[in-house]
């Protein structure tokens, strides 16, 4: 019997509201674990070290990379972002399902390392809403917003490489859809091989 938890990768362009969807999802389904990433970007107002991210210097970040301590990492908008391996591995071993909220280059590395993971992409109802949300958030200057929108376009072009796509038209509805696709992925044949082996054992 395979008791390992399921690894779930959630991506989507900056400003699509994936953090908000994930928060609503975790509130409704607290049995899921979400990984806390490491980043070299400066904390935004209200963000706390060890809660939103582990805020590392470049040296600290690359030290962990060189020790083989990152499951994946990528540079996004000039800053490093990565998933510390240890928490994810230990939680999966305990049979807990773990969600990574990461960008597309990191997700591709996870696909190579963990092909059984479930890959989900969140898209906005239209591009205009994405731009409005980024401007409305007020956390970035105009130049950073232009960069994030260009990155968003690149990311959207890779959405079809994911197993599932969810539209975030309303947070609660998107969180419900997220749960539906994760539960469906649990029964995907690629995740059920051990069951077939079990049945065939006595055949
Ligand atoms: P933000 O600066 O807005 O918090 O995040 C920028 C982007 O980095 C988002 O698309 C977010 O999903 C992604 N990101 C956050 N943590 C990680 C991580 O550990 N690895 C990778 N590859 N991307 C991450």
């Amino acid at each position: 019997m395979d008791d390992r938890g399921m690894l779930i990768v959630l991506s989507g362009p900056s400003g699509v509201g994936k953090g908000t969807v994930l928060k609503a999802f975790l509130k409704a389904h607290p049995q899921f674990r979400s990984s806390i990433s490491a980043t070299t970007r400066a904390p935004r107002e209200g963000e706390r070290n060890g809660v939103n991210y582990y805020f590392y210097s470049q040296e600290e970040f690359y030290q962990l990379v060189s020790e083989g301590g990152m499951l994946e990492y990528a540079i996004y908008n000039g800053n490093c972002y990565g998933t510390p391996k240890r928490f994810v591995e230990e939680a999966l071993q305990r049979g807990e399902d773990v969600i990574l909220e990461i960008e597309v280059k990191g997700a591709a590395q996870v696909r190579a390392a963990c092909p059984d993971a479930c890959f989900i992409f969140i898209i906005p109802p239209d591009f205009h809403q994405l731009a409005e949300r980024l401007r409305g958030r007020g956390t970035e200057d105009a130049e950073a917003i232009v960069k994030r929108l260009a990155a968003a376009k690149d990311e959207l072009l890779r959405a079809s490489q994911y197993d599932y796509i969810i539209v975030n038209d309303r947070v609660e509805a998107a969180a419900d859809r997220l749960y539906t696709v994760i539960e469906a992925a649990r029964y995907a044949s690629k995740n059920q091989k051990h069951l077939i082996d079990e049945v065939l054992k006595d055949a």
Side-chain angles (χ1 to χ4, degrees):
M1 186 66 193
D2 188 352
D3 290 332
R4 260 174 85 80
M6 180 162 54
L7 184 60
I8 299 137
V9 175
L10 192 63
S11 297
S14 188
V16 77
K18 48 188 190 305
T20 317
V21 171
L22 184 55
K23 209 166 153 194
F25 172 85
L26 290 171
K27 195 169 170 209
H29 308 285
Q31 70 274 27
F32 287 84
R33 298 278 157 264
S34 75
S35 155
I36 301 172
S37 296
T39 184
T40 61
R41 104 156 146 65
R44 293 189 187 123
E45 197 162 323
E47 284 186 334
R48 286 180 18 231
N49 190 35
V51 177
N52 306 90
Y53 280 105
Y54 295 108
F55 294 101
Y56 283 179
S57 65
Q58 288 266 91
E59 291 71 29
E60 289 168 325
F61 190 93
Y62 281 106
Q63 175 70 29
L64 194 55
V65 171
S66 70
E67 289 165 1
M70 290 292 190
L71 178 60
E72 59 73 34
Y73 74 98
I75 296 173
Y76 181 91
N77 262 339
N79 295 306
C80 306
Y81 294 83
T83 305
K85 202 184 259 176
R86 192 160 150 198
F87 168 83
V88 175
E89 197 40 54
E90 288 179 356
L92 292 175
Q93 287 279 3
R94 287 194 298 269
E96 295 168 357
D97 300 324
V98 180
I99 306 192
L100 312 181
E101 191 226 296
I102 62 177
E103 54 69 67
V104 293
K105 290 180 286 220
Q109 294 166 39
V110 178
R111 193 183 272 288
C114 319
D116 290 347
C118 172
F119 294 83
I120 304 169
F121 198 94
I122 302 195
I123 62 170
D126 57 64
F127 201 78
H128 179 71
Q129 281 206 15
L130 204 62
E132 286 306 301
R133 249 211 210 106
L134 276 178
R135 289 190 191 105
R137 198 157 78 174
T139 51
E140 264 91 14
D141 60 24
E143 195 189 334
I145 290 176
V146 170
K147 274 197 193 157
R148 280 190 182 245
L149 284 175
K153 203 168 161 187
D154 275 353
E155 295 205 85
L156 280 162
L157 289 169
R158 300 209 220 176
S160 59
Q161 295 168 5
Y162 282 67
D163 300 323
Y164 300 94
I165 291 179
I166 288 175
V167 180
N168 181 21
D169 45 2
R170 257 186 337 108
V171 172
E172 296 302 330
D176 284 349
R177 289 178 199 127
L178 186 53
Y179 185 69
T180 303
V181 298
I182 291 172
E183 289 309 300
R186 233 182 259 295
Y187 299 98
S189 54
K190 71 174 182 181
N191 294 327
Q192 300 279 61
K193 292 197 183 91
H194 60 284
L195 284 185
I196 316 263
D197 293 344
E198 187 73 13
V199 172
L200 282 176
K201 182 173 92 209
D202 306 318

Short mmCIF file of all heavy atoms in Angstrom, two decimals, residues 10-15 18 35-39 41-42 44 47 52-53 61 70 72-77 79-84 100-107 109 137 140 148 155, ligand 1:
data_model
loop_
_atom_site.label_atom_id
_atom_site.label_comp_id
_atom_site.label_asym_id
_atom_site.label_seq_id
_atom_site.Cartn_x
_atom_site.Cartn_y
_atom_site.Cartn_z
N LEU A 10 0.79 24.28 -7.68
CA LEU A 10 -0.16 25.31 -8.11
C LEU A 10 0.61 26.48 -8.70
O LEU A 10 1.47 27.05 -8.04
CB LEU A 10 -0.92 25.76 -6.86
CG LEU A 10 -2.15 26.61 -7.02
CD1 LEU A 10 -3.22 25.85 -7.77
CD2 LEU A 10 -2.68 27.01 -5.63
N SER A 11 0.31 26.79 -9.96
CA SER A 11 0.96 27.95 -10.59
C SER A 11 -0.12 28.87 -11.16
O SER A 11 -1.30 28.49 -11.22
CB SER A 11 1.87 27.52 -11.75
OG SER A 11 2.92 26.71 -11.32
N GLY A 12 0.32 30.02 -11.60
CA GLY A 12 -0.60 30.97 -12.21
C GLY A 12 0.09 32.31 -12.23
O GLY A 12 1.00 32.55 -11.42
N PRO A 13 -0.28 33.18 -13.16
CA PRO A 13 0.44 34.45 -13.27
C PRO A 13 0.26 35.32 -12.03
O PRO A 13 -0.72 35.20 -11.30
CB PRO A 13 -0.21 35.11 -14.49
CG PRO A 13 -1.52 34.43 -14.66
CD PRO A 13 -1.35 33.04 -14.13
N SER A 14 1.25 36.16 -11.83
CA SER A 14 1.23 37.12 -10.73
C SER A 14 -0.04 37.97 -10.85
O SER A 14 -0.37 38.45 -11.93
CB SER A 14 2.48 37.98 -10.88
OG SER A 14 2.64 38.81 -9.80
N GLY A 15 -0.78 38.12 -9.76
CA GLY A 15 -1.99 38.93 -9.78
C GLY A 15 -3.25 38.13 -10.04
O GLY A 15 -4.36 38.67 -9.99
N LYS A 18 -3.81 33.58 -6.80
CA LYS A 18 -3.64 32.18 -6.38
C LYS A 18 -3.41 32.07 -4.87
O LYS A 18 -3.87 31.11 -4.25
CB LYS A 18 -2.57 31.42 -7.17
CG LYS A 18 -1.26 32.12 -7.35
CD LYS A 18 -0.38 31.36 -8.31
CE LYS A 18 1.03 31.91 -8.33
NZ LYS A 18 1.14 33.35 -8.62
N SER A 35 3.69 24.46 1.56
CA SER A 35 5.12 24.63 1.80
C SER A 35 5.44 26.12 1.88
O SER A 35 4.86 26.93 1.15
CB SER A 35 5.87 23.97 0.66
OG SER A 35 7.13 24.54 0.49
N ILE A 36 6.35 26.50 2.76
CA ILE A 36 6.81 27.90 2.82
C ILE A 36 8.10 28.00 2.02
O ILE A 36 9.07 27.29 2.30
CB ILE A 36 7.03 28.35 4.28
CG1 ILE A 36 5.72 28.21 5.07
CG2 ILE A 36 7.56 29.78 4.33
CD1 ILE A 36 5.86 28.45 6.56
N SER A 37 8.08 28.85 1.00
CA SER A 37 9.22 28.99 0.11
C SER A 37 10.29 29.89 0.71
O SER A 37 10.02 30.68 1.61
CB SER A 37 8.77 29.63 -1.21
OG SER A 37 7.87 28.79 -1.86
N ALA A 38 11.48 29.76 0.14
CA ALA A 38 12.56 30.70 0.47
C ALA A 38 12.65 31.70 -0.68
O ALA A 38 12.42 31.34 -1.84
CB ALA A 38 13.87 29.94 0.59
N THR A 39 12.95 32.95 -0.36
CA THR A 39 13.11 33.96 -1.43
C THR A 39 14.15 34.98 -1.03
O THR A 39 14.36 35.23 0.16
CB THR A 39 11.80 34.68 -1.76
OG1 THR A 39 12.01 35.57 -2.85
CG2 THR A 39 11.25 35.49 -0.59
N ARG A 41 13.69 38.02 -2.37
CA ARG A 41 13.03 39.32 -2.53
C ARG A 41 12.74 39.92 -1.15
O ARG A 41 12.62 39.19 -0.17
CB ARG A 41 11.77 39.18 -3.40
CG ARG A 41 10.47 39.19 -2.67
CD ARG A 41 9.31 39.63 -3.53
NE ARG A 41 8.08 38.94 -3.18
CZ ARG A 41 7.45 39.06 -2.02
NH1 ARG A 41 7.97 39.78 -1.04
NH2 ARG A 41 6.32 38.41 -1.81
N ALA A 42 12.65 41.25 -1.12
CA ALA A 42 12.40 41.94 0.16
C ALA A 42 10.97 41.67 0.61
O ALA A 42 10.07 41.53 -0.23
CB ALA A 42 12.62 43.43 -0.04
N ARG A 44 7.22 42.25 1.64
CA ARG A 44 6.24 43.33 1.43
C ARG A 44 5.67 43.67 2.79
O ARG A 44 5.81 42.91 3.75
CB ARG A 44 5.09 42.84 0.53
CG ARG A 44 5.53 42.56 -0.87
CD ARG A 44 4.31 42.29 -1.76
NE ARG A 44 4.73 41.85 -3.07
CZ ARG A 44 4.38 40.71 -3.64
NH1 ARG A 44 3.57 39.88 -3.01
NH2 ARG A 44 4.81 40.39 -4.83
N GLU A 47 4.29 41.13 5.53
CA GLU A 47 4.82 39.77 5.37
C GLU A 47 5.81 39.45 6.49
O GLU A 47 6.60 40.32 6.89
CB GLU A 47 5.53 39.63 4.01
CG GLU A 47 4.55 39.52 2.86
CD GLU A 47 5.24 39.24 1.52
OE1 GLU A 47 6.41 39.60 1.37
OE2 GLU A 47 4.57 38.68 0.64
N ASN A 52 5.10 33.87 5.60
CA ASN A 52 4.83 34.03 4.16
C ASN A 52 5.96 33.42 3.34
O ASN A 52 5.71 32.75 2.34
CB ASN A 52 4.70 35.52 3.81
CG ASN A 52 3.67 36.19 4.69
OD1 ASN A 52 4.01 36.70 5.76
ND2 ASN A 52 2.42 36.15 4.28
N TYR A 53 7.16 33.68 3.75
CA TYR A 53 8.38 33.17 3.09
C TYR A 53 9.46 33.06 4.15
O TYR A 53 9.36 33.66 5.23
CB TYR A 53 8.90 34.18 2.05
CG TYR A 53 8.20 34.19 0.72
CD1 TYR A 53 7.31 35.21 0.38
CD2 TYR A 53 8.45 33.20 -0.24
CE1 TYR A 53 6.68 35.25 -0.86
CE2 TYR A 53 7.83 33.24 -1.48
CZ TYR A 53 6.94 34.25 -1.78
OH TYR A 53 6.33 34.29 -3.01
N PHE A 61 20.58 31.68 0.39
CA PHE A 61 19.78 30.95 -0.59
C PHE A 61 20.65 29.94 -1.34
O PHE A 61 20.35 28.75 -1.39
CB PHE A 61 19.13 31.93 -1.58
CG PHE A 61 18.10 31.30 -2.47
CD1 PHE A 61 16.75 31.31 -2.12
CD2 PHE A 61 18.47 30.68 -3.65
CE1 PHE A 61 15.80 30.71 -2.94
CE2 PHE A 61 17.52 30.08 -4.47
CZ PHE A 61 16.19 30.10 -4.12
N MET A 70 17.20 22.23 -1.94
CA MET A 70 16.01 22.78 -2.61
C MET A 70 15.41 21.73 -3.54
O MET A 70 16.12 21.12 -4.33
CB MET A 70 16.38 24.00 -3.47
CG MET A 70 16.75 25.24 -2.71
SD MET A 70 15.42 26.01 -1.81
CE MET A 70 16.26 27.53 -1.37
N GLU A 72 13.29 22.57 -5.84
CA GLU A 72 13.35 23.32 -7.11
C GLU A 72 13.67 24.75 -6.75
O GLU A 72 13.44 25.17 -5.63
CB GLU A 72 12.03 23.24 -7.88
CG GLU A 72 10.80 23.78 -7.12
CD GLU A 72 10.74 25.28 -6.99
OE1 GLU A 72 11.17 25.97 -7.91
OE2 GLU A 72 10.27 25.77 -5.94
N TYR A 73 14.19 25.50 -7.72
CA TYR A 73 14.30 26.94 -7.50
C TYR A 73 14.37 27.65 -8.85
O TYR A 73 14.67 27.01 -9.87
CB TYR A 73 15.52 27.30 -6.63
CG TYR A 73 16.85 27.18 -7.31
CD1 TYR A 73 17.48 28.31 -7.85
CD2 TYR A 73 17.49 25.96 -7.42
CE1 TYR A 73 18.70 28.21 -8.48
CE2 TYR A 73 18.71 25.85 -8.06
CZ TYR A 73 19.31 26.98 -8.58
OH TYR A 73 20.52 26.87 -9.22
N ALA A 74 14.04 28.92 -8.85
CA ALA A 74 14.04 29.68 -10.09
C ALA A 74 14.26 31.16 -9.78
O ALA A 74 14.06 31.60 -8.64
CB ALA A 74 12.70 29.51 -10.81
N ILE A 75 14.66 31.86 -10.81
CA ILE A 75 14.78 33.32 -10.67
C ILE A 75 13.57 33.93 -11.35
O ILE A 75 13.23 33.59 -12.49
CB ILE A 75 16.09 33.83 -11.30
CG1 ILE A 75 17.26 33.25 -10.51
CG2 ILE A 75 16.14 35.36 -11.30
CD1 ILE A 75 18.61 33.52 -11.09
N TYR A 76 12.87 34.78 -10.62
CA TYR A 76 11.66 35.41 -11.13
C TYR A 76 11.78 36.89 -10.85
O TYR A 76 11.97 37.28 -9.69
CB TYR A 76 10.43 34.80 -10.42
CG TYR A 76 9.09 35.34 -10.85
CD1 TYR A 76 8.38 34.74 -11.87
CD2 TYR A 76 8.55 36.46 -10.23
CE1 TYR A 76 7.15 35.23 -12.27
CE2 TYR A 76 7.32 36.97 -10.62
CZ TYR A 76 6.63 36.35 -11.64
OH TYR A 76 5.41 36.84 -12.02
N ASN A 77 11.72 37.71 -11.90
CA ASN A 77 11.85 39.16 -11.73
C ASN A 77 13.10 39.57 -10.97
O ASN A 77 13.06 40.47 -10.14
CB ASN A 77 10.64 39.70 -10.97
CG ASN A 77 9.61 40.27 -11.91
OD1 ASN A 77 9.93 40.61 -13.05
ND2 ASN A 77 8.39 40.34 -11.45
N ASN A 79 14.65 38.01 -8.63
CA ASN A 79 14.80 37.45 -7.28
C ASN A 79 14.74 35.92 -7.33
O ASN A 79 14.11 35.36 -8.22
CB ASN A 79 13.66 37.95 -6.37
CG ASN A 79 13.73 39.45 -6.16
OD1 ASN A 79 14.76 39.99 -5.75
ND2 ASN A 79 12.63 40.13 -6.47
N CYS A 80 15.42 35.30 -6.36
CA CYS A 80 15.42 33.83 -6.29
C CYS A 80 14.26 33.36 -5.43
O CYS A 80 13.97 33.95 -4.38
CB CYS A 80 16.70 33.32 -5.65
SG CYS A 80 18.20 33.90 -6.42
N TYR A 81 13.62 32.29 -5.87
CA TYR A 81 12.54 31.65 -5.12
C TYR A 81 12.80 30.15 -5.15
O TYR A 81 13.13 29.60 -6.20
CB TYR A 81 11.18 31.88 -5.79
CG TYR A 81 10.69 33.31 -5.80
CD1 TYR A 81 11.13 34.19 -6.79
CD2 TYR A 81 9.80 33.77 -4.84
CE1 TYR A 81 10.67 35.50 -6.81
CE2 TYR A 81 9.34 35.08 -4.86
CZ TYR A 81 9.78 35.94 -5.85
OH TYR A 81 9.33 37.23 -5.87
N GLY A 82 12.62 29.48 -4.02
CA GLY A 82 12.84 28.04 -4.02
C GLY A 82 12.06 27.34 -2.93
O GLY A 82 11.64 27.94 -1.94
N THR A 83 11.88 26.02 -3.14
CA THR A 83 11.14 25.20 -2.17
C THR A 83 12.11 24.37 -1.35
O THR A 83 12.75 23.46 -1.89
CB THR A 83 10.20 24.22 -2.92
OG1 THR A 83 9.35 24.96 -3.79
CG2 THR A 83 9.37 23.40 -1.95
N PRO A 84 12.27 24.68 -0.06
CA PRO A 84 13.13 23.84 0.77
C PRO A 84 12.60 22.40 0.78
O PRO A 84 11.40 22.16 0.94
CB PRO A 84 13.02 24.48 2.16
CG PRO A 84 12.62 25.89 1.90
CD PRO A 84 11.72 25.82 0.69
N LEU A 100 2.49 23.19 -3.29
CA LEU A 100 3.53 24.19 -3.59
C LEU A 100 2.92 25.24 -4.47
O LEU A 100 2.34 24.92 -5.50
CB LEU A 100 4.69 23.57 -4.37
CG LEU A 100 5.30 22.26 -3.89
CD1 LEU A 100 6.45 21.86 -4.82
CD2 LEU A 100 5.79 22.40 -2.46
N GLU A 101 3.04 26.50 -4.07
CA GLU A 101 2.56 27.59 -4.93
C GLU A 101 3.79 28.22 -5.57
O GLU A 101 4.50 29.00 -4.94
CB GLU A 101 1.79 28.60 -4.07
CG GLU A 101 1.02 29.61 -4.88
CD GLU A 101 1.21 31.01 -4.35
OE1 GLU A 101 0.81 31.30 -3.21
OE2 GLU A 101 1.78 31.82 -5.10
N ILE A 102 4.09 27.83 -6.81
CA ILE A 102 5.36 28.22 -7.43
C ILE A 102 5.16 28.62 -8.90
O ILE A 102 4.14 28.28 -9.49
CB ILE A 102 6.40 27.08 -7.33
CG1 ILE A 102 5.95 25.83 -8.08
CG2 ILE A 102 6.69 26.73 -5.87
CD1 ILE A 102 6.96 24.70 -8.08
N GLU A 103 6.17 29.29 -9.46
CA GLU A 103 6.06 29.72 -10.85
C GLU A 103 6.43 28.57 -11.81
O GLU A 103 6.85 27.49 -11.37
CB GLU A 103 6.80 31.05 -11.10
CG GLU A 103 8.24 31.08 -10.70
CD GLU A 103 9.07 30.19 -11.56
OE1 GLU A 103 9.21 30.52 -12.77
OE2 GLU A 103 9.56 29.16 -11.06
N VAL A 104 6.29 28.83 -13.11
CA VAL A 104 6.34 27.74 -14.10
C VAL A 104 7.71 27.05 -14.27
O VAL A 104 7.75 25.84 -14.51
CB VAL A 104 5.85 28.22 -15.49
CG1 VAL A 104 4.38 28.56 -15.46
CG2 VAL A 104 6.65 29.40 -16.00
N LYS A 105 8.81 27.81 -14.12
CA LYS A 105 10.12 27.16 -14.32
C LYS A 105 10.40 26.17 -13.18
O LYS A 105 10.90 25.08 -13.41
CB LYS A 105 11.25 28.21 -14.37
CG LYS A 105 11.19 29.06 -15.64
CD LYS A 105 12.30 30.09 -15.68
CE LYS A 105 12.03 31.18 -14.76
NZ LYS A 105 12.10 32.43 -14.63
N GLY A 106 10.03 26.57 -11.97
CA GLY A 106 10.18 25.67 -10.82
C GLY A 106 9.26 24.46 -10.96
O GLY A 106 9.64 23.33 -10.65
N ALA A 107 8.04 24.71 -11.45
CA ALA A 107 7.08 23.61 -11.62
C ALA A 107 7.62 22.57 -12.61
O ALA A 107 7.45 21.36 -12.40
CB ALA A 107 5.74 24.16 -12.11
N GLN A 109 10.71 21.81 -13.04
CA GLN A 109 11.72 21.01 -12.32
C GLN A 109 11.04 19.96 -11.44
O GLN A 109 11.51 18.84 -11.31
CB GLN A 109 12.60 21.90 -11.44
CG GLN A 109 13.48 22.86 -12.22
CD GLN A 109 14.06 23.94 -11.31
OE1 GLN A 109 14.43 23.71 -10.17
NE2 GLN A 109 14.13 25.15 -11.83
N ARG A 137 -3.27 46.30 -6.30
CA ARG A 137 -2.58 45.75 -5.14
C ARG A 137 -1.64 46.79 -4.54
O ARG A 137 -1.40 46.79 -3.33
CB ARG A 137 -1.78 44.52 -5.62
CG ARG A 137 -1.36 43.59 -4.55
CD ARG A 137 -1.12 42.20 -5.10
NE ARG A 137 0.16 42.08 -5.77
CZ ARG A 137 0.65 40.94 -6.24
NH1 ARG A 137 -0.03 39.83 -6.12
NH2 ARG A 137 1.82 40.90 -6.85
N GLU A 140 3.66 47.13 -6.12
CA GLU A 140 4.75 47.26 -7.09
C GLU A 140 4.69 48.61 -7.79
O GLU A 140 3.59 49.15 -7.97
CB GLU A 140 4.63 46.18 -8.17
CG GLU A 140 5.48 44.96 -7.89
CD GLU A 140 4.73 43.90 -7.10
OE1 GLU A 140 3.50 43.99 -7.00
OE2 GLU A 140 5.38 43.00 -6.60
N ARG A 148 5.92 42.23 -14.59
CA ARG A 148 5.07 41.12 -14.12
C ARG A 148 4.02 40.74 -15.17
O ARG A 148 3.69 39.58 -15.33
CB ARG A 148 4.41 41.47 -12.78
CG ARG A 148 5.37 41.26 -11.63
CD ARG A 148 4.74 41.35 -10.27
NE ARG A 148 5.78 41.18 -9.25
CZ ARG A 148 5.86 40.17 -8.40
NH1 ARG A 148 4.96 39.22 -8.40
NH2 ARG A 148 6.83 40.09 -7.52
N GLU A 155 3.80 33.00 -18.83
CA GLU A 155 3.31 31.90 -17.98
C GLU A 155 2.01 31.33 -18.53
O GLU A 155 1.83 30.12 -18.58
CB GLU A 155 3.10 32.39 -16.54
CG GLU A 155 4.38 32.81 -15.87
CD GLU A 155 4.33 32.71 -14.35
OE1 GLU A 155 4.58 31.62 -13.83
OE2 GLU A 155 4.03 33.71 -13.70
P1 LIG B 1 5.68 36.99 -5.19
O1 LIG B 1 6.94 37.82 -5.28
O2 LIG B 1 4.51 37.68 -5.83
O3 LIG B 1 5.40 36.53 -3.78
O4 LIG B 1 5.96 35.66 -6.05
C1 LIG B 1 6.38 35.75 -7.38
C2 LIG B 1 6.24 34.40 -8.04
O5 LIG B 1 7.12 33.46 -7.42
C3 LIG B 1 4.84 33.80 -7.93
O6 LIG B 1 4.47 33.29 -9.21
C4 LIG B 1 5.01 32.68 -6.94
O7 LIG B 1 4.12 31.60 -7.19
C5 LIG B 1 6.43 32.24 -7.24
N1 LIG B 1 7.05 31.49 -6.15
C6 LIG B 1 6.82 31.60 -4.82
N2 LIG B 1 7.55 30.69 -4.15
C7 LIG B 1 8.23 29.97 -5.07
C8 LIG B 1 9.14 28.87 -5.00
O8 LIG B 1 9.46 28.32 -3.96
N3 LIG B 1 9.64 28.42 -6.18
C9 LIG B 1 9.32 28.97 -7.37
N4 LIG B 1 9.87 28.42 -8.46
N5 LIG B 1 8.46 29.99 -7.48
C10 LIG B 1 7.92 30.50 -6.34
#
